[in-house]
Amino acid sequence: MLFSTLTSFLLSALAFNVVGGTVIVPQAPPSDHIFHTSSDVPTGRNVTIAGVNTYVNTPPEGTFDPTRAVVILMDIFGFGSTDNFLLTDTWAKAGFATYMPDYFLGDPFPQDGSITNDAWHLNHTEAITTPPLLAVLDALRVQGVQQIGVSGYCFGGLYATRLTQNNTVAVATMAHPSSLAIPDDYILVKANSTVPVQINSGEFDTGFTPALAEQTDEVMVGYVPGYNHTAWAGVGHGFAVSANASDPVAVAAKEGSFEVMSSWISAHFV
Ligand SMILES: *[C@@H]1O[C@H](CO)[C@@H](O)[C@H](O)[C@H]1NC(C)=O
Ligand SMILES: *[C@@H]1O[C@H](CO)[C@@H](O)[C@H](O)[C@H]1NC(C)=O
Ligand SMILES: *[C@@H]1O[C@H](CO)[C@@H](O)[C@H](O)[C@H]1NC(C)=O
Ligand SMILES: *[C@@H]1O[C@H](CO)[C@@H](O)[C@H](O)[C@H]1NC(C)=O
Ligand SMILES: *[C@@H]1O[C@H](CO)[C@@H](O)[C@H](O)[C@H]1NC(C)=O
Ligand SMILES: *[C@@H]1O[C@H](CO)[C@@H](O)[C@H](O)[C@H]1NC(C)=O
C-alpha cells in the first residue's frame, strides 16, 4: 500500500518533470571551463561596427562569399578569453567571414572569480545584451550581408535561440547553451521559426544536461526547417570552446563539434 502510493507519487513527479515542467537551464560553474594554454596568437582584428567592438576574421579576399557571415555569440568570458578569439579564427579558416560582437561592452566575466556569476549576470541581462547584438546584425546587412548564421556557446546559446525564435537569422548552431527555458523555448521555436537549428550537448554538462537535451529533442521531432542534436560523450560544459590539448576525448569533441556546426551552417546557407 505504502509502496504503491510512493510509486505513483514518484511516477507523477516524473511525468510532471517531462511533460509539464519548465526548467531554466542553469549556468554551469565557471570553474567547469578549461582555458587555452598554448602560445597560439589570434589572427583577426577588432573593428567597431555600429559602435560595438567586434572581433573580425575573414578568409583571404576573393575566397569567400561576402553576402554570408557567421556571427559568434560568446560565452561569459567574452573578450577576456583568448579561446573566443581563436574559435572565431577557426571559423574564418574554414572559409566563413566571421564576426564576434562584444555584446558585453568591455565587461566580460572575470576569470579570477572576483565577482559572482549572479552579480555579473544582472549587468548582462537580455534587455542589456540584445540591443548591441542586433545593432551589429543590422549593420552587417547594410554592408551587404544577406545571410547570417549564428553559432552560440554557453551564454550565447540563449541568443542563438532567441534569434531563431524570431527568424532574425538564416541558420543557427549552438553548444552547451545556458539560461534557456526547456521545453518552452523550443516549443516557441517549433511554433514560430523557419530557421534550421543544430545543438551540441556534453555528457557531463551540469547546465544543458542530457535529460534537458532529450526533452528538447522530443519537442523538435518533425521540425520541418531542420533540427539536429549531437551529443558528445566524455565532455562537460564549455567543450566546444576550449579543450585540454592532452586529452584526446576533449580534443575530438571540440574538433568534432566544430565540424558538425560548420557543416550545418554551410548546408543551410542557400
Ligand atoms: C580586441 O579587443 C580586446 C578587448 O579590448 C583586446 O583584448 C584584444 O587584444 C583586441 N584584439 C586585437 C586583435 O586588437
Ligand atoms: C554592474 O554595473 C554597475 C554600474 O555600472 C557597477 O557599479 C557594478 O559594479 C556592476 N556589477 C558587477 C558585478 O560588475
Ligand atoms: C528577436 O529577439 C530579440 C531577443 O528577444 C528581441 O530583442 C528582438 O527585438 C527580436 N527581433 C525581432 C525582429 O523580432
Ligand atoms: C515570430 O517570428 C516573427 C518573424 O517571423 C517575429 O516578428 C515574432 O516576434 C516572432 N514571435 C515570437 C514570439 O518570437
Ligand atoms: C546530426 O548530425 C550529425 C553530424 O552530421 C550526424 O552524425 C547525426 O546522425 C545527426 N543526428 C540525427 C539524429 O540526424
Ligand atoms: C589534461 O589532460 C591530461 C591527460 O588526461 C591530464 O593529466 C591533465 O590533468 C588535464 N589538465 C587539466 C587542466 O584538466
Side-chain angles (χ1 to χ4, degrees):
M1 177 66 179
L2 178 63
F3 175 74
S4 76
T5 306
L6 190 63
T7 306
S8 66
F9 172 75
L10 287 176
L11 283 176
S12 63
L14 189 66
F16 176 78
N17 225 352
V18 174
V19 179
T22 292
V23 175
I24 306 295
V25 178
Q27 296 288 326
S31 56
D32 283 10
H33 287 253
I34 292 169
F35 293 101
H36 191 79
T37 51
S38 93
S39 54
D40 290 359
V41 174
T43 57
R45 62 198 184 278
N46 289 331
V47 178
T48 302
I49 301 179
V52 180
N53 191 21
T54 302
Y55 180 76
V56 180
N57 202 339
T58 46
E61 206 59 48
T63 66
F64 68 98
D65 180 348
T67 68
R68 298 164 176 192
V70 168
V71 172
I72 304 296
L73 306 169
M74 321 178 276
D75 67 18
I76 56 174
F77 301 103
F79 277 33
S81 166
T82 304
D83 290 326
N84 283 323
F85 298 124
L86 296 174
L87 181 62
T88 301
D89 295 348
T90 304
W91 280 91
K93 270 188 221 122
F96 301 94
T98 311
Y99 297 82
M100 182 169 73
D102 182 13
Y103 54 16
F104 303 136
L105 305 176
D107 182 38
F109 184 76
Q111 287 176 32
D112 62 10
S114 56
I115 60 172
T116 67
N117 217 330
D118 287 349
W120 182 85
H121 273 86
L122 291 177
N123 280 353
H124 301 283
T125 59
E126 284 189 65
I128 295 170
T129 307
T130 303
L133 172 58
L134 293 183
V136 172
L137 298 182
D138 287 346
L140 292 178
R141 290 205 179 83
V142 170
Q143 278 179 31
V145 174
Q146 290 160 19
Q147 293 185 59
I148 295 173
V150 285
S151 191
Y153 302 84
C154 319
F155 182 99
L158 173 67
Y159 293 85
T161 302
R162 288 286 179 268
L163 297 170
T164 297
Q165 286 168 339
N166 62 25
N167 300 297
T168 306
V169 293
V171 47
T173 65
M174 71 197 77
H176 35 75
S178 53
S179 304
L180 296 171
I182 300 294
D184 298 12
D185 274 330
Y186 277 83
I187 290 173
L188 178 56
V189 167
K190 196 169 182 189
N192 199 54
S193 185
T194 55
V195 177
V197 58
Q198 197 279 326
I199 304 180
N200 299 279
S201 65
E203 184 182 8
F204 305 131
D205 187 359
T206 55
F208 191 67
T209 59
L212 291 174
E214 196 181 315
Q215 255 187 287
T216 307
D217 289 349
E218 283 166 15
V219 171
M220 293 297 279
V221 168
Y223 178 64
V224 175
Y227 173 71
N228 175 273
H229 163 217
T230 303
W232 298 90
V235 288
H237 192 75
F239 73 87
V241 179
S242 35
N244 175 352
S246 320
D247 177 346
V249 171
V251 170
K254 180 174 186 286
E255 291 178 353
S257 59
F258 175 75
E259 198 50 48
V260 172
M261 294 165 103
S262 55
S263 303
W264 183 262
I265 289 186
S266 288
H268 292 95
F269 273 152
V270 292

